[in-house]
Amino acid sequence: MSSPALMAGASGKVMDFNNGTYLVSFTLFWEGQVSLSLLLIHPSEGASALWRARNQGYDKIIYKGKFVNGTSHVFTECGLTLNSSAELCEYLDDRDQEAFYCMKPQHMPCEALTYMTTRNREVSYLTDKENSLFHRSKVGVEMMKDRKHIDVTNCNKSEKIEEKCQVGMKPPVPGGYTLQGKWITTFCNQVQLDTIKINGCLKGKLIYLLGDSTLRQWIYYFPKVVKTLKFFDLHETGIFKKHLLLDAERHTQIQWKKHSYPFVTFQLYSLIDHDYIPREIDRLSGDKNTAIVITFGQHFRPFPIDIFIRRAIGVRKAIERLFLRSPTTKVIIKTENIREMHIETERFGDFHGYIHYLIMKDIFKDLNVGIIDAWDMTIAYGTDTIHPPDHVIGNQINMFLNYIC
């Protein structure tokens, strides 16, 4: 639902009656001329094919590990599973049942694995007939052919929400809407923070951002608003290095680290100081001025769903351990956001992301964490891009600061 002239938008709510019929409902959050849109991303046959294809194989992504020994190096194939009779290097996390393997290079120990890169394998588990369902013309088809504008008028009934946004609240769907480009929550009293309030909020805070590049966008956004936050050079290279922002005077530290396998990128990235999110959480002592933001999912889309579920359960257990030693630490889960509609649907399409979105809601539903529903937000903003623009990132961060201050 949108009003472009007002820079306003909100997602609708779909109820599936499991008999081929659905109820779509919209809440009229603002007055003015409103238009509705309802896209059929995939028909049920397409969704079934994607689900089957996803869970059929681990080989849609090729991992290449770089082993380094002094001045010599060698690349070998790696992966979450490897079908090979050759000798393998095993990188196992028994507690969380995580595993990664590489073909063992000759004349180098397994400990010499230092860098990783990936590329897409030319493989598909869809038949030609199924593939035809994902032709550009058949993805995201508008269902409301004769879209009329609705004129919404004020009904003089405004419900003021008094309760401040805080961790433990569960956002409904939709959990908010955009108006004049600002995100307005519907379930708590959210304050739009200016630079002075943001500075006050961040004073004395240790903030750990654990996840993918949609969270790395946050650490690039912060210094644009808070000029005293400066990047500290940790002598690492590439965009997937650990990023650290410091304001020594205000005792503020913000750190971003990428999550561990599966991490998908053509760029060579370092495996030094690289670990699974549960292990990263276990290293943090936590206190009332510590906040952790977690997001993962985009890199898991090309792999069977059990990998994602296992990781989400591992993260949940790590948060439970953190709350035992430090119940005042603030933990925020940022869901995946929607991305480009016409990309490789089998590997990276939003169907997989939506399954993740539902799983995350279920696994974290009764934990005392804050939720930033980036899925809902990016539908409302209409941003079909894996890296949403700055105004969306700014509103995600505003929601985060409302949770921690």
Side-chain angles (χ1 to χ4, degrees), residues 131-144:
N131 251 317
S132 70
L133 293 170
F134 306 110
H135 187 268
R136 185 175 274 265
S137 63
K138 293 178 184 169
V139 175
V141 176
E142 180 59 68
M143 304 288 284
M144 301 180 74

Side-chain angles (χ1 to χ4, degrees), residues 223-258:
K224 295 175 186 177
V225 184
V226 183
K227 305 297 183 192
T228 53
L229 280 169
K230 304 292 182 193
F231 279 107
F232 188 84
D233 185 2
L234 295 165
H235 298 206
E236 296 179 30
T237 56
I239 57 170
F240 297 114
K241 65 185 178 185
K242 180 161 77 176
H243 288 57
L244 184 64
L245 281 174
L246 291 177
D247 179 344
E249 206 171 301
R250 286 199 179 86
H251 297 282
T252 302
Q253 174 192 298
I254 305 174
Q255 175 188 294
W256 174 83
K257 278 185 85 170
K258 66 184 180 304

Side-chain angles (χ1 to χ4, degrees), residues 213-214 216-217 337-340 385-390 393:
S213 56
T214 64
R216 191 185 66 219
Q217 287 181 275
N337 48 260
I338 61 170
R339 62 174 301 174
E340 298 82 1
T385 172
I386 187 165
H387 295 121
D390 264 5
I393 300 301

Side-chain angles (χ1 to χ4, degrees), residues 111-130:
E111 292 77 14
L113 179 62
T114 309
Y115 299 98
M116 190 64 63
T117 181
T118 71
R119 58 190 168 88
N120 297 343
R121 192 189 299 275
E122 295 303 316
V123 63
S124 174
Y125 291 102
L126 299 172
T127 65
D128 290 344
K129 202 169 183 180
E130 287 169 339

Side-chain angles (χ1 to χ4, degrees), residues 1-12 26-30 33-36 174-184 186 376-382:
M1 175 175 79
S2 63
S3 299
L6 298 171
M7 290 192 292
S11 64
F26 293 94
T27 306
L28 303 174
F29 290 115
W30 63 87
Q33 202 172 64
V34 169
S35 62
L36 304 179
Y177 59 97
T178 74
L179 187 61
Q180 302 301 345
K182 296 269 187 241
W183 178 255
I184 299 162
T186 55
D376 186 29
M377 286 175 91
T378 48
I379 291 173
Y381 277 107

Side-chain angles (χ1 to χ4, degrees), residues 30-44:
W30 63 87
E31 53 182 314
Q33 202 172 64
V34 169
S35 62
L36 304 179
S37 170
L38 179 61
L39 302 183
L40 178 67
I41 307 298
H42 305 300
S44 60

Side-chain angles (χ1 to χ4, degrees), residues 98-342:
E98 300 285 8
F100 195 79
Y101 306 92
C102 289
M103 309 281 275
K104 188 178 186 311
Q106 287 183 321
H107 318 304
M108 277 201 202
C110 292
E111 292 77 14
L113 179 62
T114 309
Y115 299 98
M116 190 64 63
T117 181
T118 71
R119 58 190 168 88
N120 297 343
R121 192 189 299 275
E122 295 303 316
V123 63
S124 174
Y125 291 102
L126 299 172
T127 65
D128 290 344
K129 202 169 183 180
E130 287 169 339
N131 251 317
S132 70
L133 293 170
F134 306 110
H135 187 268
R136 185 175 274 265
S137 63
K138 293 178 184 169
V139 175
V141 176
E142 180 59 68
M143 304 288 284
M144 301 180 74
K145 298 293 186 217
D146 53 345
R147 289 197 285 160
K148 293 186 177 67
H149 293 298
I150 299 168
D151 288 310
V152 181
T153 54
N154 195 339
C155 59
N156 295 322
K157 194 185 94 179
S158 64
E159 295 174 17
K160 190 156 172 49
I161 302 165
E162 299 296 339
E163 196 174 5
K164 173 191 177 305
C165 300
Q166 50 197 325
V167 294
M169 290 180 163
K170 295 296 164 269
V173 175
Y177 59 97
T178 74
L179 187 61
Q180 302 301 345
K182 296 269 187 241
W183 178 255
I184 299 162
T185 55
T186 55
F187 61 96
C188 61
N189 186 6
Q190 178 194 3
V191 180
Q192 295 292 338
L193 301 171
D194 57 20
T195 304
I196 294 165
K197 283 181 179 161
I198 292 172
N199 274 327
C201 173
L202 291 176
K203 190 174 182 183
K205 294 284 191 297
L206 302 178
I207 296 169
Y208 298 91
L209 310 175
L210 305 175
D212 57 33
S213 56
T214 64
L215 209 45
R216 191 185 66 219
Q217 287 181 275
W218 283 30
I219 208 160
Y220 291 155
Y221 185 89
F222 273 113
K224 295 175 186 177
V225 184
V226 183
K227 305 297 183 192
T228 53
L229 280 169
K230 304 292 182 193
F231 279 107
F232 188 84
D233 185 2
L234 295 165
H235 298 206
E236 296 179 30
T237 56
I239 57 170
F240 297 114
K241 65 185 178 185
K242 180 161 77 176
H243 288 57
L244 184 64
L245 281 174
L246 291 177
D247 179 344
E249 206 171 301
R250 286 199 179 86
H251 297 282
T252 302
Q253 174 192 298
I254 305 174
Q255 175 188 294
W256 174 83
K257 278 185 85 170
K258 66 184 180 304
H259 65 66
S260 189
Y261 314 116
F263 199 83
V264 179
T265 174
F266 294 115
Q267 300 201 35
L268 201 65
Y269 60 87
S270 172
L271 300 177
I272 308 304
D273 194 19
H274 169 89
D275 215 338
Y276 298 107
I277 291 176
R279 294 287 178 185
E280 298 285 0
I281 295 170
D282 286 343
R283 291 191 191 104
L284 302 175
S285 54
D287 62 18
K288 67 180 182 357
N289 286 314
T290 298
I292 304 169
V293 189
I294 299 161
T295 196
F296 58 97
Q298 297 278 0
H299 294 256
F300 289 73
R301 292 184 182 194
F303 300 97
I305 197 68
D306 62 296
I307 301 285
F308 180 80
I309 293 171
R310 191 180 306 126
R311 187 67 48 82
I313 290 170
V315 170
R316 185 199 157 98
K317 287 178 177 174
I319 293 169
E320 288 173 334
R321 290 191 293 273
L322 170 68
F323 285 160
L324 287 176
R325 64 184 179 271
S326 175
T328 56
T329 302
K330 300 282 199 305
V331 178
I332 314 297
I333 306 290
K334 182 182 82 67
T335 71
E336 275 172 74
N337 48 260
I338 61 170
R339 62 174 301 174
E340 298 82 1
M341 212 175 288
H342 300 294

